[in-house]
Amino acid sequence: MSWQDDFRAAFMPNRPLPPVMLARGEGSTVWDVDGNAYLDLFAGIAVSALGHAHPALVEAVSGQIAKIAHVSPLLTTEPEVKLATRLLELLGLPGKVYFCNSGTEANEAAFKMVRKHAGASKYLVATENGFHGRTMGALALTGKQAIRTPFEPYGADVRFVPYGDAEALRAAVTSDCAAVFLEPAQGEAGVVPAPDGYLSAAREVCDATGALLVLDEIQSGIGRTGTWFAHQHEGVRPDIITLAKGLGGGVPIGACIGVGEAADIFALGDHGCTFGGNPLSSSAALAVLDTIDRDGLKEHAVKIGEQLSAGIEALDHPMLAGVRGRGLWLAIVLAEPVAAAFRDAAQKAGFLVNNVQPDAIRLAPALTLTAEEAQSFLDALPAILDEVAA
Ligand SMILES: *Cc1c(COP(=O)(O)O)cnc(C)c1O
């Protein structure tokens, strides 16, 4: 029996068969069970912000698990309180934090806050092709028909607008709207940035109507675009922000932060989560944030991101349509829907990439990716594109 057979026998068919079974990693290099090495250019979907087996993360997590791993929200620990305080400092806004384990849970918390704040009669606005998670509340806000419609109905009136269209947003948000849920750039849709001014327009219409602005920074946050949070590029103040992916560097943790008056929407007993903010995941997240700070990884992400973008843009190839994104969060846009073939050709050449859309390859590597590693991919790119074309 191969591992592929075991995989098919053991798992529900909701996941595709993975192209590779990994055994270990170090930095941005990973090895499969047969000992083949690859350069990891998507870091577990923008999660492993420090790369694999980073000493700071190893030390924080192993030290913490040897002390105490879990206490429940009925008790607390130093790492949990430190992490919440630290996140508020990085956000630079007055607010309060709720911890959970994943992105979808962070958005569930945000959804419940919106419901509590506005009541059941108001509708919500989200974006076409937006992604907010797979649980029923987060899925109700997700604008990707293929994953949403099989699970209808949802207990919410959610109206979808085209992403990046400020006029459509202004028209959709009225005083009967409870909240607008937005990604600062759409991740699962293929790293699609919003035009400049879009988030500011969202802020304005929310101010004018009383709707809450919820920014889903689950993929865009934690230094990935060169700032701690992507909305900081535009200086737009969210009412609620949700985080997960990169925050724990691979250890599951999510956060929902209420800003200003939204900090106190939940009253005692309104929400909770057994594992949320446990000292193990909190220590991991503190190590991630400390390392990003200490090693200047936000600035590094900008530099390496520009190197990758410029290198891709400079390539003249009939299979290549362009590159979009910011920092170490990019999409290689292909001229045809051949992203799966690109992924396979890249893997053969020793690179792991993510075919996020039929015509787009997502690059979301560790923030520690070196200039040499980035260059090795740029050097291999023409041959990968040739193979895809052939
Ligand atoms: C990944 C993602 C989620 C869901 O996070 P999970 O941890 O998979 O539940 C929600 N929103 C955005 C923008 C994401 O990228």
Side-chain angles (χ1 to χ4, degrees):
M1 287 274 275
S2 65
W3 68 260
Q4 286 89 347
D5 293 328
D6 291 340
F7 183 96
R8 283 197 199 90
F11 290 112
M12 293 185 190
N14 58 310
R15 284 166 69 187
L17 181 70
V20 54
M21 180 186 253
L22 293 181
R24 67 192 178 91
E26 196 180 315
S28 286
T29 303
V30 291
W31 287 267
D32 69 15
V33 286
D34 299 318
N36 302 304
Y38 306 90
L39 187 66
D40 176 6
L41 291 172
F42 73 99
I45 319 186
V47 165
S48 305
L50 304 184
H52 303 283
H54 192 287
L57 195 58
V58 172
E59 196 183 317
V61 169
S62 49
Q64 187 60 50
I65 204 165
K67 278 189 233 155
I68 190 164
H70 177 81
V71 302
S72 92
L74 300 177
L75 304 171
T76 190
T77 59
E78 253 175 28
E80 181 190 26
V81 177
K82 256 172 107 173
L83 178 61
T85 307
R86 189 79 200 290
L87 283 173
L88 293 171
E89 272 168 30
L90 302 181
L91 190 58
L93 297 168
K96 290 181 184 169
V97 178
Y98 163 78
F99 284 131
C100 51
N101 312 290
S102 66
T104 204
E105 284 175 276
N107 283 333
E108 291 293 328
F111 198 157
K112 280 180 69 174
M113 287 166 70
V114 165
R115 190 47 75 73
K116 179 106 195 279
H117 181 254
S121 64
K122 292 194 171 187
Y123 64 89
L124 295 97
V125 168
T127 61
E128 289 168 11
N129 298 318
F131 183 80
H132 299 291
R134 300 285 201 149
T135 54
M136 291 300 274
L139 191 54
L141 297 158
T142 288
K144 207 177 160 197
Q145 289 307 324
I147 64 174
R148 155 192 181 80
T149 42
F151 303 98
E152 285 173 347
Y154 303 99
D157 178 2
V158 183
R159 304 181 187 174
F160 294 95
V161 294
Y163 185 72
D165 181 341
E167 271 318 306
L169 194 61
R170 279 189 204 101
V173 180
T174 71
S175 56
D176 291 325
C177 174
V180 176
F181 277 74
L182 285 180
E183 299 162 84
Q186 288 187 323
E188 297 309 299
V191 194
V192 179
D196 286 344
Y198 184 61
L199 295 184
S200 310
R203 178 70 273 170
E204 273 166 34
V205 71
C206 286
D207 283 340
T209 58
L212 295 175
L213 178 60
V214 184
L215 291 185
D216 179 341
E217 292 245 23
I218 286 163
Q219 194 163 155
S220 58
I222 318 298
R224 184 141 296 278
T225 68
T227 50
W228 282 111
F229 309 107
H231 71 266
Q232 291 172 333
H233 291 291
E234 235 181 271
V236 169
R237 172 193 173 113
D239 296 303
I240 300 175
I241 171 170
T242 54
L243 301 171
K245 290 200 166 83
L247 179 56
V251 178
I253 182 167
C256 175
I257 305 179
V259 174
E261 287 177 12
D264 293 306
I265 291 175
F266 277 154
L268 187 63
D270 272 343
H271 199 49
C273 160
T274 303
F275 293 118
N278 88 24
L280 191 67
S281 55
S282 296
S283 301
L286 282 169
V288 169
L289 300 178
D290 285 345
T291 305
I292 290 175
D293 238 350
R294 192 197 56 212
D295 294 350
L297 293 181
K298 299 197 305 298
E299 299 73 18
H300 182 77
V302 171
K303 196 178 92 190
I304 306 299
E306 281 170 0
Q307 178 192 351
L308 282 168
S309 295
I312 296 163
E313 249 163 33
L315 252 181
D316 186 18
H317 194 284
M319 262 308 157
L320 188 64
V323 57
R324 62 185 176 227
R326 182 172 209 165
L328 281 175
W329 197 33
L330 302 171
I332 302 173
V333 187
L334 301 168
E336 288 173 39
V338 290
F342 184 108
R343 179 202 65 182
D344 295 344
Q347 188 188 319
K348 261 204 269 171
F351 302 92
L352 297 185
V353 297
N354 165 238
N355 46 320
V356 64
Q357 287 288 318
D359 68 343
I361 294 293
R362 170 168 46 190
L363 304 179
L367 305 183
T368 53
L369 188 79
T370 67
E372 294 71 33
E373 288 167 335
Q375 193 56 46
S376 73
F377 176 65
L378 291 173
D379 292 344
L381 194 49
I384 293 169
L385 290 165
D386 283 346
E387 180 162 342
V388 170

